[in-house]
Amino acid sequence: MINPSKMKTSFFKDASAAYQYASQIYDSSTEFLRENFKKFINGKLKNRCRAYYPYVRIQVETLRNVDTRPSYGFVEQPGDYQTTLTRPKLFQRYLIEQFNQLLHHHRGPLEIGVSDIPIPIHFAFPDGMHVEADLSPATLIYWRDYFDLPDLSVMDDTIVNGSIYLNHHNIKPLALFSAPRIDYSLFRLKHYTATSCEHFQNFVLFTNYQFYIDEFIDYAKKLIKSDQKKYTAFIQPGDQILTNKSTAKKQSPIHELKHLPQMPSYHLKRKDNNGITLVNIGIGPSNAKTITDHIAVLRPHAWIMLGHCAGLRNSQQLGDYVLAHAYVRDDHVLDADLPLWVPVPALAEIQIALQKAVGEVTGFDGYELKKIMRTGTVATIDNRNWELRDQGELLQRFNQSRAIALDMESATLAANGFRFRVPYGTLLCVSDRPLHGEIKLPGMANAFYYKQVFQHLQIGIRTMELLAELRIESLHSRKLRSFSEVAFQ
């Protein structure tokens, strides 16, 4: 067994210095693996190679004088706390903030060292290289004799789900995700969205219609080509980069992808990463869960669903908005992770921003907003052809739940936001009313989409801009944190 040059455990009371040392450990470990992988390809590697993730640990002896008003940044009880770290350059701003919070509340020091969790060879290539592509089928049979491969047993969601078992001898988790779990999701993000993870912004919009994507592309391109300086670049699948005049140096030619990925993403970037990402998740709760399982490791500040729904009330009109303040979860994809008896509350900061944005974009205010927007319960179902089921049973359930709209993604996105401690919200647009004879037909649907989509998208964009103006500590609600919580946001 050969390992990288040993790096000693060190202690820090400066967040930036702690971050720099963790970066050194990570860079040394991954460079070691990449160099030995080259030897392996050329048949020159004779020994097994292993390198490890860096870790950060803090020992807390007392909670005296700790400010517990924020939702994160401190531990809940005395003890030893630790997490493994990966991709320090990608998470630089995030890690320094978390380190600073720990030092502010507990005065440190922070212990940085080499963990006992091996780095899988796949994850030593942060640019997303598929290492198997360089290996023949014969070589693939025995490459596990030389390198560690991804181990699912150390990348599950037991911390997030609150199902991790600890006794008084255990070191407690400092973050929601381990380094291998983060690496796994970063690779899956590139696969599903065809954009690199460093382009994802802190405010994420989800939609289930290409119409929204088309409008977003047109809007973003015009914005980037204008004289504004808030947004610095627009990124499309395939990492096609369009920069504005103030940031452009030498722009390479844009080559469009021949085929879009399963859930393409588009990024309107800001220097502080507080821009807007839009993801077309397609239709269904499975897609909604899949993409948020992975985006969550980037620790965004908010995600919001902009989609279409079936209006369930006779008083609703096509084109009306529905601001969800509660959810009926009939999607089933998260039942094993978040039991149905767990409430998914509305978050005041998100609700206020959404309502304000609707008013600004539409010109309606106060009581007049009720002409175009209803606030109520949204039911999310996993059966697209629910209209073909027994109407009596469905009507009773919708009536008892006070549901005013039905869709296939919103409750899933909200529930996963709750599970991952990511602020969430939903603003839907009524596109049909099946219970009242207005079903979605091609001609009617297309006319509706072209008329309503741009306004709906503008509301979503304005909402994210309003949220970006808030203090991050106030946006991350304590409603999302448990009584036994990790310190990292």
Side-chain angles (χ1 to χ4, degrees):
M1 176 77 72
I2 56 175
N3 306 102
S5 300
K6 190 172 182 180
M7 299 188 71
K8 66 178 182 178
T9 299
S10 299
F11 297 84
F12 301 88
K13 285 199 171 184
D14 178 80
S16 294
Y19 163 79
Q20 290 296 337
Y21 191 60
S23 296
Q24 290 177 29
I25 295 174
Y26 178 81
D27 291 344
S28 173
S29 295
T30 52
E31 184 179 359
F32 168 82
L33 290 172
R34 290 193 295 269
E35 288 300 318
N36 281 284
F37 183 70
K38 292 178 183 177
K39 294 179 182 178
F40 176 71
I41 292 175
N42 296 324
K44 296 180 180 180
L45 187 61
K46 305 302 180 184
N47 301 98
R48 182 174 180 82
C49 298
R50 175 170 286 173
Y52 301 90
Y53 288 105
Y55 73 82
V56 57
R57 181 185 298 175
I58 188 169
Q59 185 177 50
V60 177
E61 297 180 352
T62 178
L63 298 182
R64 191 180 307 135
N65 299 323
V66 171
D67 183 2
T68 59
R69 289 174 297 177
S71 63
Y72 65 92
F74 58 91
V75 302
E76 298 284 346
Q77 55 185 318
D80 290 346
Y81 294 82
Q82 175 179 311
T83 190
T84 47
L85 305 172
T86 189
R87 300 289 295 275
K89 290 180 182 177
L90 175 65
F91 290 99
Q92 180 177 2
R93 186 182 288 109
Y94 170 80
L95 289 175
I96 291 177
E97 182 198 358
Q98 306 312 309
F99 290 177
N100 270 321
Q101 290 284 347
L102 286 174
L103 291 168
H104 170 71
H105 286 103
H106 302 295
R107 295 180 171 77
L110 298 178
E111 176 185 333
I112 305 293
V114 179
S115 75
D116 59 357
I117 303 297
I119 301 177
I121 185 62
H122 300 71
F123 300 160
F125 294 86
D127 58 356
M129 174 182 175
H130 298 288
V131 294
E132 296 94 330
D134 293 317
L135 302 178
S136 66
T139 306
L140 275 172
I141 295 175
Y142 62 88
W143 74 320
R144 65 178 62 245
D145 295 337
Y146 292 89
F147 299 101
D148 289 288
L149 303 187
D151 180 5
L152 292 179
S153 68
V154 296
M155 58 177 70
D156 57 37
D157 281 337
T158 53
I159 302 173
V160 164
N161 291 344
S163 56
I164 187 171
Y165 174 76
L166 295 172
N167 59 46
H168 65 281
H169 296 296
N170 288 118
I171 296 176
K172 302 175 181 66
L174 196 55
L176 293 172
F177 303 105
S178 66
R181 169 67 170 83
I182 293 172
D183 275 334
Y184 172 78
S185 280
L186 296 181
F187 274 69
R188 301 309 292 164
L189 269 181
K190 182 67 177 289
H191 168 75
Y192 285 119
T193 69
T195 52
S196 299
C197 50
E198 59 263 26
H199 296 310
F200 278 79
Q201 300 296 285
N202 286 326
F203 296 90
V204 184
L205 292 171
F206 297 107
T207 187
N208 50 11
Y209 282 96
Q210 184 63 33
F211 293 95
Y212 287 80
I213 300 299
D214 295 340
E215 291 289 355
F216 189 68
I217 292 172
D218 289 343
Y219 171 79
K221 285 183 175 179
K222 291 176 183 176
L223 196 63
I224 291 299
K225 291 177 181 177
S226 70
D227 293 329
Q228 63 81 38
K229 296 182 180 180
K230 178 187 292 186
Y231 297 102
T232 59
F234 177 57
I235 316 297
Q236 298 184 71
D239 287 347
Q240 303 171 55
I241 302 175
L242 179 67
T243 55
N244 68 15
K245 298 176 183 177
S246 64
T247 59
K249 294 181 181 178
K250 185 178 180 181
Q251 195 159 317
S252 58
I254 292 178
H255 300 287
E256 295 186 6
L257 294 179
K258 291 184 179 180
H259 304 286
L260 284 176
Q262 184 175 345
M263 289 180 271
S265 64
Y266 303 79
H267 314 275
L268 191 52
K269 299 184 69 172
R270 281 175 38 167
K271 285 184 178 180
D272 59 4
N273 223 47
N274 284 337
I276 300 169
T277 287
L278 177 64
V279 185
N280 184 355
I281 62 175
I283 297 175
S286 181
N287 279 0
K289 177 185 183 298
T290 297
I291 198 65
T292 47
D293 279 348
H294 302 313
I295 290 178
V297 305
L298 295 172
R299 308 314 298 142
H301 294 323
W303 63 43
I304 288 175
M305 177 67 189
L306 295 181
H308 293 156
C309 64
L312 301 179
R313 300 296 175 90
N314 195 43
S315 57
Q316 291 170 307
Q317 303 295 321
L318 297 184
D320 283 357
Y321 295 115
V322 173
L323 175 57
H325 75 172
Y327 301 89
V328 174
R329 294 172 50 201
D330 207 8
D331 53 325
H332 302 300
V333 294
L334 280 167
D335 291 359
D337 296 297
L338 193 72
L340 285 173
W341 51 261
V342 176
V344 179
L347 305 179
E349 294 80 6
I350 304 291
Q351 301 297 95
I352 291 170
L354 278 166
Q355 182 165 314
K356 184 176 180 180
V358 172
E360 287 185 12
V361 173
T362 65
F364 290 96
D365 192 21
Y367 189 71
E368 292 297 302
L369 268 179
K370 292 182 179 293
K371 291 180 178 179
I372 59 165
M373 187 180 77
R374 294 284 299 273
T375 301
T377 298
V378 170
T380 293
I381 197 166
D382 59 358
N383 179 5
R384 178 59 191 88
N385 296 318
W386 61 271
E387 299 98 329
L388 304 181
R389 290 176 54 191
D390 175 37
Q391 294 297 303
E393 179 234 348
L394 286 173
L395 285 172
Q396 180 179 348
R397 293 177 60 203
F398 295 156
N399 194 42
Q400 289 175 331
S401 68
R402 309 299 192 269
I404 65 171
L406 183 74
D407 82 338
M408 297 188 68
E409 298 87 20
S410 292
T412 311
L413 293 168
N416 240 8
F418 181 86
R419 189 165 73 100
F420 291 125
R421 289 74 160 170
V422 176
Y424 51 85
T426 297
L427 184 72
L428 303 177
C429 190
V430 176
S431 60
D432 60 332
R433 299 192 310 147
L435 298 181
H436 308 285
E438 292 182 290
I439 61 175
K440 196 175 293 183
L441 299 174
M444 179 181 72
N446 289 339
F448 161 77
Y449 293 152
Y450 283 120
K451 177 182 178 182
Q452 201 69 19
V453 162
F454 185 67
Q455 184 185 83
H456 195 187
L457 177 63
Q458 286 297 309
I459 292 169
I461 292 171
R462 181 57 185 147
T463 299
M464 293 313 202
E465 291 177 340
L466 291 170
L467 292 174
E469 296 171 4
L470 298 177
R471 287 171 56 89
I472 297 305
E473 308 90 81
S474 64
L475 181 56
H476 289 275
S477 173
R478 286 190 291 177
K479 296 188 193 76
L480 302 180
R481 314 292 284 191
S482 70
F483 60 81
S484 179
E485 191 58 78
V486 301
F488 279 22
Q489 173 260 313

